[in-house]
Amino acid sequence: MKLNYKIIFHILGLLLLFNGGFMLLSALISLVYQDGVTLQIFIAGIITLVIGAISMFITRHHEKEINKREGYIVVTFGWIIMSLSGTIPYVITDSIPDFTNAFFETMSGYTTTGASILNDIEAVPKGVLFWRSMTHWIGGMGIIVLAIAILPLLGIGGMQMFAAEAPGPSTDKLHPRITDTAKRLWLIYVGYTAAETLLLTVAGMSFFDAINHALCTLSTGGFSTKNASVAYWNGQPIIQYIIILFMFLAGTNFVLSYFAFKGKVQKIIHDEEFKLYFKFVVVFTIIAAVVIYFKADVSVSSIAHPMVWGEGESAFRHALFQVLAIVTTTGFVTADYTLWTPFLMVFFFGLMFLGGSAGSTSGGVKVVRHLILIKNSFLEFKRTLHPNAIVPVRYNKKAINRFIVFNVLAFFILYMLSFIIGSLGFSIMGIEFKSAVGLAASTLGNVGPALGDFGPVNNYAALPSLGKWWSSFLMLIGRLELFTVLILFTPFFWRNR
């Protein structure tokens, strides 16, 4: 079967139209704040819109159906095209004149990684900062639709389990599911963003800072408008607690939010992934808080205003914030956690491999995959004792198809291989061990802050140009569930059948 290139380019053109539209919105923000780059951002938006319109016009006569192979291409090249076009506002305004740096920042935005090369964020024009936050928000919403509507149909990494849970008609056709699902999830996503913006504004943030942090929290991105990230508001704990709440929600399967608004609370209570996600957050926070309270000096690791409501509250807040920031792969920081004893540095490094819930905007392996791996591992003991017994892995009281278990196992092995190869790639460039493994774990898991020279209070500006391209690749494959991108490198994918 030959590839239907027309529908591929038609959809890519549509994505460029969306990108151009959000650039024009950023130009409007620039105009409101009179930052001097309104015209440049406006031109960037027009260029993107024109390219997208031409692509859609040329391919307007195309077949309506899209098969799996075309789905893989659209998803992968969609993120690449969005990232390439997303560099235009940075380059044209001279905010990031170097293309490699601009592409890295944009890919970090769309993949909701939050790794940045900007040394002085507060000096960047507000219109450009808004565009930077908007890349997170666009990428975050794209990931939700991808996880709930597209990947299950492509059979990616065990994501088939969520096809039945997604709101919308139960059908194997791609278009109806995407349309129906996207409408509901967009409403929830926009609603949460508006709610966080309002709460942060009431709590004392400026409206500009509030909307930017809301865009970056709900997408679990981590870009901030301040050089010190959320540590800038260490003297205002209520702001950090609001961000904590929305980081938790963003790391939860958005389908559960849909059920909550429909009044189906029992579905949330009985969801095994949600229960494990909640337990992880609670247990890891307690461990981190106890160690911080008794062993770490928060005043040394905090960037500003270390304690407001007492040592106990400060230890708890910093622990909860950083656990959620890393588990949900948001990447905001309130302190340099690498200074909180060697144990906590290794502890937080391990959390980079966890990830939030499937169907959320978070990156990483995802809680449900860990759950299936753990369950399958324990069942191997039973299978060893009773080799003839049929002992299926159960999720939410339903037996999981063994092919899904194999898929999850394959994903985990591929993830760890990608981490090892990623670390080796950085080490070849002369980056020392701690920084290399931190970079690989952080970029592959879309976390943002790494370790060593690229820790929570540093950025990625010192990374060599080749390292930035390597990081961009790792961010892309990590964000798109590995298989989606890596399958394009297999020879059989391109054979016409």
Side-chain angles (χ1 to χ4, degrees), residues 133-151:
S133 301
M134 189 55 72
T135 58
H136 268 343
W137 199 74
I138 299 167
M141 188 63 244
I143 285 300
I144 295 174
V145 175
L146 193 68
I148 301 298
I150 301 174
L151 293 185

Side-chain angles (χ1 to χ4, degrees), residues 42-62:
F42 180 79
I43 291 170
I46 295 299
I47 291 170
T48 308
L49 284 169
V50 168
I51 296 171
I54 290 171
S55 179
M56 289 192 74
F57 179 77
I58 293 172
T59 58
R60 64 191 183 281
H61 302 298
H62 60 83

Side-chain angles (χ1 to χ4, degrees), residues 72-94:
Y72 290 120
I73 293 170
V74 164
V75 170
T76 301
F77 282 94
W79 248 261
I80 293 172
I81 290 294
M82 294 281 274
S83 297
L84 286 170
S85 63
T87 62
I88 302 174
Y90 293 125
V91 175
I92 206 169
T93 60
D94 272 340

Side-chain angles (χ1 to χ4, degrees), residues 332-354:
F332 283 138
V333 293
T334 58
D336 186 355
Y337 53 77
T338 60
L339 299 178
W340 290 346
T341 75
F343 169 78
L344 282 182
M345 184 176 70
V346 176
F347 178 75
F348 283 120
F349 174 71
L351 293 187
M352 290 182 186
F353 294 89
L354 186 57

Side-chain angles (χ1 to χ4, degrees), residues 65-133:
E65 291 299 319
I66 181 169
N67 61 36
K68 278 190 176 184
R69 284 205 302 165
E70 290 150 6
Y72 290 120
I73 293 170
V74 164
V75 170
T76 301
F77 282 94
W79 248 261
I80 293 172
I81 290 294
M82 294 281 274
S83 297
L84 286 170
S85 63
T87 62
I88 302 174
Y90 293 125
V91 175
I92 206 169
T93 60
D94 272 340
S95 299
I96 310 177
D98 179 72
F99 178 73
T100 294
N101 284 336
F103 184 81
F104 176 90
E105 195 81 10
T106 315
M107 180 61 81
S108 178
Y110 283 113
T111 58
T112 70
T113 304
S116 180
I117 54 83
L118 292 172
N119 288 313
D120 189 359
I121 296 165
E122 292 168 38
V124 176
K126 282 184 163 57
V128 177
L129 283 181
F130 184 80
W131 169 246
R132 182 170 171 261
S133 301

